[in-house]
Amino acid sequence: MSSESKPRILFSREEISATVSRLAAEIKQDYQGKHPLLLGILKGSFVLMADLIRLLNFPLEVEFIRLSSYGGSRQSSGRIKVVQGLRSPIKGRDILVIEDIVDTGLTISFLLDYLRQRKPASLKLCALTDKPSRRQVPVTIDYPGFTVPDEFIVGYGMDWNEQFRYLPELCSIEVED
Ligand code: IMP
């Protein structure tokens, strides 16, 4: 059983829009003319991906990968598996991973290692939110959005037990596992 409180807004639509525009401007400067592959991690990154690519008006491709992590919903177990893999080869490509949140860092570290083994030309990370207080392994976020407190974050694509992805703001909820 799990229960949760009413979502409390941490970042408004306007703040999100300004941050996504800032990220897009940085990405545009670095990737224009490179035809990068933006690789979203399902499901949490789909809203960011949709908003971001519409601000990047240059040729790029979009792919998604789905990972699973065993363990409770609050805590990443670190035992991660690729459930839906890449459909395009990434060898020699400029890959920009799009993630919703870096918490312990275990998921993204696993994915970056997995991708690195496939020899991309370059590999960078854009993460909408960063919860550095819970980090277990070091992670470099090349394009960071918001730093968030040690609270459970929902909205703008992020869920708690598949709930709240539809919220247009970034919110926090109190959860009990
Ligand atoms: P990590 O492996 O602990 O860094 O967790 C990464 C994944 O766990 C993210 O991609 C999310 O799917 C999920 N996650 C971690 N913290 C939160 C949160 O506060 N809200 C929603 N999902 C989270």
Side-chain angles (χ1 to χ4, degrees):
M1 265 310 263
S2 69
S3 62
E4 69 280 326
S5 64
K6 196 169 173 292
R8 183 173 63 85
I9 296 178
L10 291 179
F11 297 103
S12 66
R13 296 174 194 224
E14 293 73 23
E15 287 170 300
I16 297 171
S17 170
T19 293
V20 175
S21 297
R22 192 238 321 143
L23 292 171
E26 292 170 15
I27 291 168
K28 216 163 157 176
Q29 199 168 21
D30 295 349
Y31 284 92
Q32 201 145 24
K34 288 191 167 175
H35 204 119
L37 177 66
L38 270 60
L39 179 62
I41 309 180
L42 288 172
K43 298 180 194 171
S45 70
F46 78 102
V47 178
L48 172 62
M49 182 72 97
D51 282 348
L52 194 58
I53 59 168
R54 286 177 292 172
L55 297 172
L56 298 175
N57 54 344
F58 63 85
L60 55 82
E61 287 168 40
V62 173
E63 263 282 9
F64 287 98
I65 191 167
R66 189 155 182 193
L67 307 174
S68 75
S69 162
Y70 299 100
S73 22
R74 172 80 166 88
Q75 180 66 47
S76 173
S77 68
R79 282 182 294 142
I80 296 142
K81 221 172 79 171
V82 176
V83 181
Q84 180 192 310
L86 291 163
R87 303 205 170 176
S88 326
I90 64 162
K91 190 170 177 191
R93 300 286 312 265
D94 290 302
I95 308 296
L96 176 58
V97 176
I98 308 294
E99 174 63 308
D100 54 357
I101 186 161
V102 180
D103 185 20
T104 62
L106 294 168
T107 305
I108 198 66
S109 297
F110 166 86
L111 180 66
L112 293 175
D113 283 347
Y114 174 92
L115 297 172
R116 230 173 258 124
Q117 285 166 20
R118 285 157 180 78
K119 308 262 184 288
S122 69
L123 182 59
K124 286 190 179 183
L125 172 64
C126 171
L128 181 68
T129 60
D130 179 16
K131 217 191 274 180
S133 54
R134 283 178 36 94
R135 199 73 94 249
Q136 291 181 23
V137 287
V139 175
T140 301
I141 304 176
D142 304 284
Y143 304 96
F146 299 98
T147 300
V148 294
D150 183 8
E151 292 170 18
F152 202 83
I153 312 300
V154 292
Y156 198 73
M158 281 187 265
D159 76 308
W160 166 252
N161 287 341
E162 294 302 324
Q163 304 305 304
F164 306 119
R165 290 194 200 275
Y166 59 86
L167 294 174
E169 299 92 3
L170 279 170
C171 301
S172 84
I173 51 167
E174 284 165 32
V175 297
E176 283 172 31
D177 258 320

